[in-house]
Amino acid sequence: MPEEDYETREEYEMSILDRISDGLIDGFASLISHFKKDWKKRNQSRIKEWKLMAYAINRSPPTLLGLFIVLVYIFIGIFGPYLAPWPYDFFPVNYNYSTQLAPPGSTYFLNVTELQNGYIIHYTTYIHYPLGSDTYGRDILSILLAGARTALVLDIFIILIGPTIGIILGLISGYYGGKVDETIMRITDMFLAFPGLILAIALSAVLPGRIQNFLNAHAWAQTLVLKLFALHPRDVNNLGKLLAVFVALVIVWWPGYARVTRGSTLTEKENLYVEAARAIGLPTRTILFRHILPNIIGPILVMITMDFGGIILTEAGLSFLGLGAVPPIPDWGNLINQGSQQFPQAWWLVAFPGLVIVTVVLGWNLLGDGLRDILDPRTRRSLEFKLKKKSRGGETNA
């Protein structure tokens, strides 16, 4: 038996989840080694650290619950528009007015007339509403599934751009200090001086027209955005308000990361390994991104995980105020906006989208709490102690 396998089997009580996580990590390491020769051999300690983190997650029920919710959210965000029973832009109210605000569990027949390939088609069908319908007669379940794509795309791109800007500025500010630090931090303070939600509201109200003009002038941008959000081309004129929320949240989201990264960089740059890197003449870019950033990434990752949920709440709040996506673009906040005008008669318009938002945000928060415990050295030792298995005897501490 290889020495590494022997050590792992002797030190830790392996569960089914542990074996699954080991297999995934080993597979990922092998994939990297396919592109970088001998990467797996040269990074055995890093791989073992990843496995320890996975063991800790596997023994934390709240973190596992959060991870499960997040994975389901990501899956529905990717495939939701294709799993939806009905298209988001199909309006049954045009064929049967009774479908407007239909209660959960109801079924209605539709006499549909459509133009297909130059021919007028008449057919009769029925539509079942497991979660009720909105004011347009659209199936709430279908809108929730399609709306997950809208939320996920906004989540990913805001996190990719906003925090990245903040991290880069924070690294530069903390590393160089002096006038560079003063300039970047004063700009950051200007953004932090405005309440984030108020600034996002102002930007969301000002930007839609300019963004829509840009999209109208660039066909490639229209096509890209429609594909990302899985929208029909007829909705191209409604993209301005949706993307305005995206731009507004990117602008609002970076200052916090700049502050956190700068503070960590100020401490980290005084360590001997940074002085040694300077002494041997490594470029500043290498020192910042290959030496300092990996050592301060823990708190940043926790922030990012928590902010996935925060972005969903903020975007839903803007849509609720009428500043985000407009129908027929599927959006959870817009459904609640419709429901607020019909409450309590159409309670399902508020209850089901609200439940989805709360569940997804709870999942990200539970996952973030778990990562914080694992990445924090003060709590990491206690977690590792729970993983230890006695070297002699049959009793374990796991």
Side-chain angles (χ1 to χ4, degrees), residues 53 297-299 301-302 370-377 379-380:
M53 293 173 62
I297 198 65
L301 287 178
V302 175
L371 290 178
R372 180 181 58 192
D373 292 339
I374 292 168
L375 296 174
D376 189 340
T379 57
R380 175 65 183 273

Side-chain angles (χ1 to χ4, degrees), residues 21-32:
S21 60
D22 277 1
L24 292 174
I25 292 171
D26 287 335
F28 179 70
S30 299
L31 180 64
I32 297 178

Side-chain angles (χ1 to χ4, degrees), residues 145 314 370:
L145 291 173
T314 306

Side-chain angles (χ1 to χ4, degrees), residues 60-325:
S60 174
T63 307
L64 280 177
L65 176 60
L67 179 61
F68 174 76
I69 293 173
V70 166
L71 291 177
V72 171
Y73 163 63
I74 293 173
F75 176 83
I76 295 177
I78 296 172
F79 299 105
Y82 312 107
L83 298 174
W86 295 91
Y88 72 90
D89 55 353
F90 177 67
F91 302 101
V93 72
N94 293 333
Y95 311 105
N96 187 342
Y97 190 76
S98 299
T99 58
Q100 184 182 46
L101 299 177
S106 57
T107 302
Y108 293 90
F109 284 90
L110 306 175
N111 294 315
V112 181
T113 301
E114 290 185 349
L115 183 65
Q116 297 181 4
N117 300 323
Y119 296 95
I120 298 177
I121 306 297
H122 301 276
Y123 62 91
T124 300
T125 186
Y126 71 92
I127 182 169
H128 179 65
Y129 295 113
L131 302 182
S133 73
D134 68 356
T135 54
Y136 305 100
R138 297 183 299 171
D139 178 30
I140 295 297
L141 176 61
S142 299
I143 304 304
L144 291 177
L145 291 173
R149 170 67 74 89
T150 304
L152 180 63
V153 171
L154 289 175
D155 252 352
I156 291 175
F157 280 91
I158 290 170
I159 288 296
L160 282 177
I161 299 175
T164 300
I165 294 172
I167 290 169
I168 293 173
L169 291 177
L171 285 170
I172 294 172
S173 176
Y175 184 78
Y176 285 103
K179 293 183 179 180
V180 174
D181 181 29
E182 193 71 17
T183 301
I184 294 176
M185 284 301 102
R186 296 297 75 78
I187 295 174
T188 303
D189 290 340
M190 289 172 57
F191 281 91
L192 292 174
F194 294 95
L197 183 59
I198 302 299
L199 182 58
I201 290 174
L203 292 171
S204 298
V206 170
L207 294 175
R210 294 172 173 83
I211 294 176
Q212 191 64 56
N213 290 336
F214 174 82
L215 292 174
N216 292 338
H218 299 84
W220 64 267
Q222 293 182 9
T223 303
L224 176 62
V225 174
L226 290 172
K227 287 186 178 298
L228 282 174
F229 289 97
L231 299 176
H232 195 278
R234 69 170 66 97
D235 295 319
V236 67
N237 292 325
N238 296 324
L239 295 177
K241 297 190 72 173
L242 176 62
L243 294 184
V245 171
F246 162 72
V247 175
L249 293 183
V250 167
I251 294 174
V252 167
W253 231 263
W254 69 265
Y257 287 88
R259 276 287 182 190
V260 171
T261 306
R262 171 188 178 268
S264 300
T265 303
L266 285 173
T267 302
E268 201 68 23
K269 75 174 184 179
E270 302 300 329
N271 289 332
L272 291 177
Y273 76 88
V274 177
E275 295 294 334
R278 289 174 183 159
I280 63 176
L282 287 180
T284 301
R285 180 180 58 191
T286 302
I287 296 174
L288 289 178
F289 294 102
R290 297 193 62 179
H291 296 280
I292 294 180
L293 182 58
N295 286 286
I296 64 173
I297 198 65
I300 296 173
L301 287 178
V302 175
M303 278 186 67
I304 288 174
T305 306
M306 296 289 194
D307 280 348
F308 269 104
I311 289 170
I312 293 173
L313 280 177
T314 306
E315 188 274 330
L318 293 174
S319 296
F320 176 79
L321 296 174
L323 296 172

